[in-house]
Amino acid sequence: MHQPVEFNPLSYGAIQDSLSQALMDAELIPLGDVERFEGNGVYALFYNGPFQAYRVISSPKGETPVYVGKAAPSTRKGEELSAMQLLGAYGGTSLFTRMRNHRASIEAAENLEVDDFQVRLLVLSYIWVPLAETSVISRYQPVWNTIVDGFGNHDPGAGRYNGMRPRWDTLHPGRAWAEKLRKREESADDIAQDVTSYLQAQMEV
């Protein structure tokens, strides 16, 4: 017996798919060409360069993100956002600022070039930002969101350098503040091998 397909466009899964697709349909822009704009939202970074560990995802087409993130106004503990803030997509430059910070991190890395990165940007109402980020990360499992942590980290500040250096900074040394953290036991080559195995396994799924 043939059964009709049920579809609820407002279901959690459908909204996730819609948000993820909207980001991946956004214009692919060279990271170095992003100009100042207003808005909160989500973004996906793509790599198209010679770093060997990323060879299976390196492409000018922007198909497999190396990193996915979000940017929205931060609030002080206990502070509530107004309905206007929750529903508004504009106001402030949080998404642009995040791009500027990421560009600085990549410029500091000894073995990466900003010219090898592209980005898709999606300006959203604040209320949709966390769900959009979760949806895209869940779908693509980007390597910098999973096994190579630390790309989005910031300088912890004086007196807080007793932590472990992130895997990202071990694989891509250069950020001055990260050099002050405790060195990992694993080497950059160890991490690169993990990346190669991880990405190859993803491509086989």
Side-chain angles (χ1 to χ4, degrees), residues 146-191:
T146 51
I147 66 167
V148 184
D149 68 292
F151 173 61
N153 291 8
H154 301 285
D155 187 339
R160 298 182 179 181
Y161 293 121
N162 59 342
M164 183 74 69
R165 188 175 304 166
R167 292 191 102 196
W168 192 89
D169 291 282
T170 301
L171 185 60
H172 302 298
R175 294 195 289 194
W177 61 264
E179 298 299 318
K180 300 175 184 178
L181 298 173
R182 288 189 296 116
K183 187 176 180 180
R184 305 184 71 89
E185 292 185 6
E186 59 183 345
S187 68
D189 288 341
D190 294 333
I191 298 171

Side-chain angles (χ1 to χ4, degrees), residues 14-205:
I15 293 174
Q16 280 189 306
D17 290 343
S18 176
L19 290 168
S20 181
Q21 192 60 53
L23 176 59
M24 295 303 289
D25 286 343
E27 180 184 5
L28 190 63
I29 306 169
L31 180 59
D33 291 351
V34 176
E35 299 180 349
R36 184 182 177 88
F37 64 95
E38 289 192 352
N40 313 308
V42 293
Y43 58 91
L45 280 176
F46 301 86
Y47 183 69
N48 180 32
F51 195 76
Q52 183 66 15
Y54 304 139
R55 67 186 185 281
V56 299
I57 61 170
S58 179
S59 168
K61 297 180 180 180
E63 297 170 319
T64 304
V66 68
Y67 184 76
V68 168
K70 69 178 185 294
S74 59
T75 59
R76 291 186 293 271
K77 188 174 182 180
E79 181 180 357
E80 293 185 2
L81 292 173
S82 68
M84 184 67 72
Q85 289 173 308
L86 285 171
L87 297 175
Y90 295 91
T93 58
S94 60
L95 192 51
F96 168 73
T97 299
R98 188 61 53 84
M99 294 304 99
R100 186 178 60 190
N101 292 342
H102 287 340
R103 176 175 177 172
S105 290
I106 292 169
E107 287 176 335
E110 298 172 2
N111 49 18
L112 295 175
E113 298 291 338
V114 170
D115 289 345
D116 293 330
F117 287 85
Q118 298 167 294
V119 63
R120 298 186 192 275
L121 300 161
L122 187 64
V123 175
L124 288 168
S125 298
Y126 180 94
I127 196 170
W128 296 115
V129 171
L131 178 58
E133 181 197 35
T134 301
S135 300
V136 183
I137 291 176
S138 177
R139 175 170 294 188
Y140 292 98
Q141 295 292 303
V143 65
W144 287 1
N145 291 96
T146 51
I147 66 167
V148 184
D149 68 292
F151 173 61
N153 291 8
H154 301 285
D155 187 339
R160 298 182 179 181
Y161 293 121
N162 59 342
M164 183 74 69
R165 188 175 304 166
R167 292 191 102 196
W168 192 89
D169 291 282
T170 301
L171 185 60
H172 302 298
R175 294 195 289 194
W177 61 264
E179 298 299 318
K180 300 175 184 178
L181 298 173
R182 288 189 296 116
K183 187 176 180 180
R184 305 184 71 89
E185 292 185 6
E186 59 183 345
S187 68
D189 288 341
D190 294 333
I191 298 171
Q193 183 56 55
D194 283 351
V195 170
T196 298
S197 300
Y198 176 80
L199 292 177
Q200 287 178 340
Q202 275 195 318
M203 295 299 107
E204 293 171 0
V205 174

